[in-house]
Amino acid sequence: AEVRRHLAHAGYRADLVEEALVRLLQLGYLDDEAFARSWVASRDRAHPRGERALRTELLRKGVPRDVVDAAIVDRGRAAADGARVDDPDTTADADDRAADGLLARRRAGLERIVDPRRRRQRAYALLARSGFDPQTAASAVERFTRAAPAD
């Protein structure tokens, strides 16, 4: 969908765009599944996001819903380290790890906030803006404040 949109925006005729897409698919240059897995892995490394945000980003890019679901399951499978694939907690584990990673990256800035209540609020807001659900954000903030030095 992204390639189609880009070529159409560049002014190419619709029939040429479709022919180009067919050829790119034949050559293996377009692969929604590989793209989705790569996108999720990249986000987890560079800019951690919650499951909701990852789903939204991929759907906006035109990745089919079933491919998005598979990429999210793969993310949970990687985080589970041996948990059953059909276990609903596998996605939660991935979100927990991503949330913890984001707070760890922002630890220095958050620890500069003297008031512990404001620090927790800022940490929670950061996670909420990054697409983490309220339960994941709350538990990650709790783990973060327990690991922080005493005030």
Side-chain angles (χ1 to χ4, degrees), residues 60-106:
R60 279 189 189 148
K61 291 187 169 296
V63 177
R65 187 172 303 277
D66 60 329
V67 174
V68 172
D69 292 342
I72 296 297
V73 167
D74 286 348
R75 175 186 187 230
R77 190 179 302 149
D81 292 333
R84 288 189 356 245
V85 175
D86 59 346
D87 186 355
D89 291 335
T90 57
T91 305
D93 292 342
D95 269 0
D96 286 341
R97 290 181 56 212
D100 291 344
L102 181 57
L103 289 177
R105 283 188 184 160
R106 301 289 177 92

Side-chain angles (χ1 to χ4, degrees), residues 41-62:
S42 172
R43 279 305 210 183
D44 280 346
R45 274 191 317 274
H47 301 285
R49 297 281 186 257
E51 176 187 346
R52 183 182 59 200
L54 290 171
R55 283 183 186 283
T56 301
E57 289 174 350
L58 288 169
L59 290 171
R60 279 189 189 148
K61 291 187 169 296

